[in-house]
C-alpha cells in the first residue's frame, strides 16, 4: 500500500482526517469494505469529499470511503433512486442498520477523483461511531501493510522572539543552522535571547514505498529534560480542525506556502492531542544559566530525528527591528470588537482569533480594507455594508463579495432594506457587488438535429458573478440527473433509455446563479432507443 497523505497531516484549514491511498494515478480501481457492517450514510457533494460512503461496524467504529467515482450494486441503486426522488445531484442520506448490509471484503465502489480531490486516490477514515472522533488507521493494524525504515526529515528550525523579546540581536524570527553529529542527531546554532522565545519546525515523513512526503506522527520538545510541548496524532475531532492555523506560522504559510509547526502557544487553545507545561511551550532564558532544548520528531514506526539547541541569556540590544505593521486599531482576541467607518461595520466576537494583533481597518472608494489574510480567523465574524443608492431591483441582485485580485468571491448575504450582512472567516478586501448577468452554458460538440450514439452528454457551465447555485436538466419533459464536476465546471448526463425516445428527443437545461439570474439551454437530437 502507498500513501499520498497520512493521518494528522497539516492541510489548509484542517488536520488530515485519514489516509489517502494512491490508485496508480487513475480512477476505476475496486474499493472493498474493511469489515462487516451496514451502509449508515451516503453523501454526494460537488466539493469536500465528493462521493462518499460510510459503513458502520458492530465494534463501534465507522469506516469512510471518499472521492469515489461511483458506488456499485445495491448502494448505487439506492443512490440513483434518491437522486431522482430529490431531483438533485447533491444528496445526503442516513440509513438504518437493515437497509444495506455489508460483508467484509465486499466490493462497494470504484475509486475516483470527485469533490475537492486534487488527483485520483481513495480517502479512507476510521471514526468512533458514537463520538465522531477520527482515529489513526495505523492503530487498527494498517501498519502491517507498510514498510518504513526512514527517519522523519526536519528541513527547517526557527526561533521566534515573542512579545518584545530579542533573539540573536533580532526581533524577527530566525532560521537556525543545524549540523549532523556522529550519533545521527543534529546540533543547532546557539540561541542568545532575552525575554520569552519559542521554536518552530518544518518536518515531513517518508516511507520506503510511497516516494512522497507525508506528515509526522509525533513531535515533542524538552527543556533541560522536562517536556515543554508535545503532540501525537492518534485521534482528533472535527471541532479541532481549524486549530491547525494556530499551530502553524500562518503568516509565513500564506506568504511562502511553507508550514512551520510552532512548538509553543501565545494564548492557550484546547487540543486534546497537545501537551504543554505551564508556559505553553515558551522559554524565558535567565542570566547565568545555560539551557539545553531538544526536539524529537518521530513516525508511527519509531523512526526518530532529534535536534539539540543550546540556549543562553543575552542582554544585547536588537540590531534588527521587528517587522513594521500597518495598522490603525488593535484587536483583543478574548473580547468582542466592533469597528465602523462610513458605510461599513465589522463585528468580531470574542474568540474569533487566536491572538491579539494590530488591525488595519479602512474604507476607501466603497471598498472595505479589513487587514489581510496573514492572520487566521478561527470562527465567523460579521461584515455589514450599506448602499442607499441602489434601486429595489438592484438591491435584490447585490451581495457582499471578497476581492482576491481580479476574482470575486461570493458570500451568502442577508439583506434588510439597504443593509447587507455576511458571516465570513477570512480577512481581506470586501465590497458590495451587483450581479445581473446570467450564467453561461455551452456544449463543446453541438448535437442540434443530429443522430447521437455516445453514452453521455456534457455541458460547460460558469458564472462570473455570484456563482452557480442550481442546475436542472430535463429530457423530453422529465427531470434527469446531471453530475457536476467543479474542477472542469462541467455537468454530465449519462443516457438512460428509460428517458429516451426513439427518434427525436428534446433536452432542456436551466442554470441559475445565487442572485437568481437564469439561463436556459435547449437542443434536440435523434437517437435509437435500445430495447431490452
Amino acid at each position: 500500500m502507498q500513501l499520498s497523505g497520512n493521518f494528522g497531516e497539516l492541510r489548509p484549514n484542517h488536520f488530515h482526517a485519514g489516509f489517502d491511498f494512491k490508485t496508480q494515478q487513475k480512477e476505476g480501481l475496486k474499493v472493498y469494505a474493511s469489515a462487516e457492517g451496514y451502509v449508515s450514510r451516503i453523501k454526494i457533494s460537488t466539493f469536500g469529499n465528493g462521493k462518499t460512503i460510510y459503513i458502520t461496524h458492530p465494534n463501534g467504529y465507522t469506516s469512510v470511503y471518499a472521492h469515489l467515482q461511483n458506488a456499485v450494486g445495491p448502494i448505487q441503486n439506492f443512490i440513483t433512486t434518491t437522486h431522482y426522488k430529490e431531483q438533485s445531484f447533491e444528496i445526503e442520506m442516513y440509513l438504518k442498520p437493515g437497509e444495506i448490509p455489508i460483508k467484509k471484503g465486499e466490493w462497494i465502489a470504484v475509486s475516483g477523483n470527485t469533490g475537492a480531490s486534487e488527483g485520483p486516490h481513495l480517502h479512507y477514515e476510521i471514526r468512533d461511531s458514537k463520538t465522531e472522533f477520527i482515529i489513526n488507521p495505523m492503530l487498527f493494524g494498517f501498519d502491517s501493510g507498510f514498510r518504513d525504515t526512514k527517519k522523519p526529515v526536519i528541513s527547517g528550525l526557527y526561533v521566534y522572539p515573542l512579545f518584545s523579546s530579542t533573539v540573536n540581536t533580532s526581533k524577527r524570527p530566525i532560521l537556525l543552522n543545524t549540523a549532523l553529529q556522529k550519533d545521527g542527531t543534529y546540533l543547532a546554532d546557539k540561541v542568545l535571547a532575552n525575554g520569552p522565545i519559542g521554536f518552530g519546525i518544518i518536518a515531513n515523513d517518508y516511507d520506503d514505498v510511497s516516494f512522497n512526503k507525508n506528515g509526522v506522527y509525533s513531535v515533542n520538545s524538552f527543556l533541560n529534560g522536562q517536556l515543554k510541548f508535545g503532540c501525537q496524532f492518534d485521534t482528533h475531532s472535527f471541532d479541532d480542525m481549524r486549530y491547525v492555523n494556530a499551530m502553524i506560522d500562518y503568516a509565513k504559510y500564506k506568504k511562502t506556502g511553507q508550514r512551520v509547526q510552532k512548538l509553543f502557544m501565545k494564548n492557550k487553545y484546547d487540543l486534546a492531542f497537545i501537551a504543554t507545561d505551564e508556559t505553553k511551550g515558551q522559554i524565558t532564558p535567565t542570566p547565568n544559566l545555560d539551557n539545553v532544548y531538544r526536539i524529537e520528531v518521530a513516525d508511527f514506526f519509531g523512526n526518530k530525528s532529534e535536534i539539540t539547541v543550546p540556549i543562553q541569556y543575552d542582554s544585547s540590544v536588537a540590531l534588527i527591528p521587528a517587522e513594521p505593521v500597518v495598522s490603525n486599531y488593535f484587536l483583543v482576541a478574548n473580547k468582542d470588537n466592533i469597528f465602523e467607518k462610513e458605510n461599513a461595520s465589522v463585528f468580531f466576537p470574542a474568540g474569533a482569533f487566536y491572538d491579539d494583533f494590530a488591525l488595519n481597518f479602512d474604507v476607501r472608494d466603497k471598498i472595505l480594507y479589513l487587514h489581510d489574510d496573514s492572520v487566521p480567523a478561527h470562527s465567523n465574524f460579521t461584515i455589514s455594508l450599506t448602499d442607499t443608492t441602489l434601486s429595489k431591483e438592484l438591491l435584490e441582485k447585490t451581495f457582499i463579495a471578497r476581492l482576491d485580485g481580479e476574482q470575486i468571491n461570493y458570500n451568502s448575504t442577508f439583506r434588510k432594506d439597504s443593509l447587507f450582512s455576511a458571516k465570513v472567516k477570512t480577512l481581506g478586501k470586501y465590497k458590495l457587488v451587483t450581479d445581473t448577468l446570467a450564467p453561461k452554458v455551452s456544449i463543446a460538440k453541438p448535437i442540434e438535429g443530429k443522430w447521437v450514439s455516445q453514452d453521455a452528454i456534457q455541458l460547460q457551465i460558469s458564472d462570473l458573478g455570484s456563482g452557480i447555485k442550481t442546475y436542472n436538466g430535463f429530457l423530453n419533459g422529465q427531470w434527469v440527473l446531471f453530475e457536476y464536476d467543479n474542477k472542469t465546471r462541467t455537468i454530465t448526463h449519462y443516457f438512460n433509455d428509460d428517458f429516451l425516445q426513439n427518434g427525436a428527443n428534446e433536452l432542456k437545461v436551466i442554470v441559475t446563479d445565487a442572485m437568481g439570474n437564469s439561463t436556459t439551454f435547449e437542443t434536440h437530437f435523434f437517437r435509437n432507443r435500445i430495447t431490452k
Side-chain angles (χ1 to χ4, degrees):
M1 293 184 291
Q2 294 183 333
L3 294 182
S4 59
N6 61 357
F7 184 82
E9 202 165 79
L10 310 180
R11 297 283 184 88
N13 295 319
H14 70 286
F15 302 101
H16 194 225
F19 283 172
D20 284 344
F21 286 108
K22 291 187 177 183
T23 56
Q24 305 168 29
Q25 299 181 342
K26 63 183 181 182
E27 301 182 42
L29 275 66
K30 291 185 176 181
V31 177
Y32 303 94
S34 306
E36 69 168 309
Y38 70 96
V39 177
S40 55
R41 181 185 176 194
I42 300 170
K43 185 174 183 179
I44 311 294
S45 174
T46 56
F47 297 95
N49 282 335
K51 298 182 179 181
T52 309
I53 296 172
Y54 302 73
I55 298 177
T56 295
H57 307 283
N59 60 359
Y61 298 102
T62 295
S63 55
V64 182
Y65 314 77
H67 303 308
L68 303 171
Q69 183 185 83
N70 278 306
V72 297
I75 306 176
Q76 185 57 44
N77 292 338
F78 186 86
I79 291 171
T80 301
T81 299
T82 306
H83 280 310
Y84 280 88
K85 179 181 177 181
E86 298 186 10
Q87 294 193 353
S88 175
F89 172 58
E90 293 196 85
I91 53 177
E92 185 170 13
M93 301 152 282
Y94 292 87
L95 289 77
K96 297 177 181 178
E99 290 188 76
I100 305 181
I102 296 294
K103 297 178 181 178
K104 179 179 180 179
E106 183 175 341
W107 180 24
I108 59 170
V110 292
S111 65
N113 187 30
T114 56
S117 170
E118 295 181 355
H121 71 281
L122 173 68
H123 175 83
Y124 175 81
E125 299 176 16
I126 296 178
R127 302 182 184 180
D128 183 300
S129 300
K130 185 175 292 185
T131 66
E132 281 284 297
F133 271 56
I134 319 109
I135 305 168
N136 193 334
M138 288 292 188
L139 298 170
F140 288 79
F142 278 86
D143 55 320
S144 64
F146 293 93
R147 177 174 169 79
D148 185 356
T149 61
K150 297 180 179 180
K151 295 180 179 181
V153 175
I154 305 173
S155 57
L157 171 63
Y158 288 83
V159 57
Y160 290 80
L162 305 179
F163 311 108
S164 59
S165 303
T166 299
V167 59
N168 291 7
T169 67
S170 174
K171 289 189 173 295
R172 303 185 187 186
I174 294 175
L175 176 65
L176 296 175
N177 294 316
T178 59
L180 180 64
Q181 305 300 293
K182 290 182 179 180
D183 62 359
T185 66
Y186 288 83
L187 178 64
D189 290 344
K190 182 181 291 185
V191 170
L192 304 174
N194 58 74
I197 61 173
F199 289 86
I201 59 170
I202 300 175
N204 297 106
D205 189 35
Y206 299 81
D207 61 41
D208 296 358
V209 295
S210 298
F211 310 109
N212 57 271
K213 62 184 180 181
N214 288 313
V216 299
Y217 174 60
S218 68
V219 180
N220 291 284
S221 66
F222 305 85
L223 183 67
N224 302 324
Q226 299 297 313
L227 180 70
K228 294 294 290 182
F229 186 98
C231 68
Q232 184 165 299
F233 287 103
D234 289 320
T235 182
H236 58 82
S237 76
F238 286 97
D239 291 339
D240 295 338
M241 288 298 195
R242 202 167 175 90
Y243 281 114
V244 69
N245 294 332
M247 197 171 177
I248 65 172
D249 183 341
Y250 188 82
K252 186 174 185 64
Y253 165 65
K254 296 302 292 186
K255 186 176 181 179
T256 68
Q258 292 180 312
R259 291 187 179 92
V260 179
Q261 181 176 336
K262 296 188 294 187
L263 307 182
F264 65 91
M265 303 175 182
K266 286 187 175 180
N267 290 328
K268 178 78 174 178
Y269 55 87
D270 292 322
L271 278 177
F273 57 83
I274 289 182
T276 69
D277 65 358
E278 66 280 359
T279 70
K280 303 183 290 294
Q282 300 176 25
I283 301 158
T284 304
T286 55
N288 305 315
L289 179 64
D290 292 347
N291 296 279
V292 177
Y293 184 75
R294 182 167 53 87
I295 302 169
E296 294 181 356
V297 181
D299 62 24
F300 189 84
F301 298 88
N303 304 302
K304 187 184 299 182
S305 296
E306 294 185 26
I307 294 180
T308 299
V309 188
I311 303 173
Q312 289 182 349
Y313 174 83
D314 179 51
S315 59
S316 300
V317 297
L319 301 178
I320 303 174
E323 292 188 36
V325 178
V326 178
S327 65
N328 48 5
Y329 295 93
F330 191 79
L331 185 141
V332 180
N334 63 358
K335 295 183 178 180
D336 291 348
N337 295 262
I338 299 177
F339 301 95
E340 297 179 324
K341 184 178 180 181
E342 296 181 11
N343 70 321
S345 69
V346 183
F347 170 65
F348 298 109
F353 296 92
Y354 306 109
D355 301 311
D356 303 346
F357 68 99
L359 172 76
N360 184 28
F361 171 84
D362 200 2
V363 177
R364 301 191 304 272
D365 298 325
K366 295 186 177 181
I367 297 176
L368 168 62
Y369 291 83
L370 192 56
H371 207 74
D372 57 57
D373 193 22
S374 63
V375 178
H378 184 71
S379 57
N380 287 328
F381 55 90
T382 303
I383 291 175
S384 297
L385 301 173
T386 58
D387 191 334
T388 58
T389 66
L390 296 172
S391 65
K392 181 179 179 181
E393 292 76 15
L394 292 181
L395 283 171
E396 296 175 352
K397 301 288 186 181
T398 300
F399 62 94
I400 293 178
R402 184 172 66 86
L403 307 181
D404 186 4
E406 298 296 321
Q407 185 175 337
I408 294 174
N409 297 294
Y410 170 81
N411 292 286
S412 180
T413 304
F414 171 79
R415 180 179 67 86
K416 183 178 181 180
D417 299 324
S418 59
L419 174 65
F420 299 81
S421 298
K423 293 184 180 295
V424 300
K425 279 186 179 179
T426 306
L427 296 172
K429 292 191 293 184
Y430 288 87
K431 69 176 293 187
L432 291 174
V433 171
T434 300
D435 179 12
T436 59
L437 297 177
K440 293 183 178 180
V441 183
S442 63
I443 184 170
K445 295 181 179 180
I447 59 173
E448 180 78 20
K450 296 180 180 180
W451 285 89
V452 300
S453 59
Q454 67 258 34
D455 294 331
I457 182 172
Q458 190 172 83
L459 303 175
Q460 286 195 315
I461 62 174
S462 62
D463 187 79
L464 296 176
S466 54
I468 303 296
K469 183 178 182 179
T470 63
Y471 47 91
N472 288 282
F474 302 88
L475 186 57
N476 300 317
Q478 297 184 72
W479 186 92
V480 292
L481 175 65
F482 273 84
E483 299 193 10
Y484 179 62
D485 180 6
N486 69 80
K487 290 182 280 289
T488 59
R489 296 182 179 179
T490 57
I491 55 173
T492 304
H493 170 66
Y494 297 93
F495 285 126
N496 183 327
D497 285 332
D498 292 341
F499 303 104
L500 288 167
Q501 296 177 358
N502 271 322
N505 288 266
E506 301 288 335
L507 176 69
K508 179 166 72 172
V509 176
I510 303 172
V511 181
T512 305
D513 67 19
M515 290 293 99
N517 304 301
S518 181
T519 296
T520 299
F521 173 91
E522 293 183 279
T523 189
H524 73 277
F525 60 93
F526 297 90
R527 183 181 173 96
N528 287 325
R529 178 176 177 179
I530 300 174
T531 57
K532 298 179 181 179

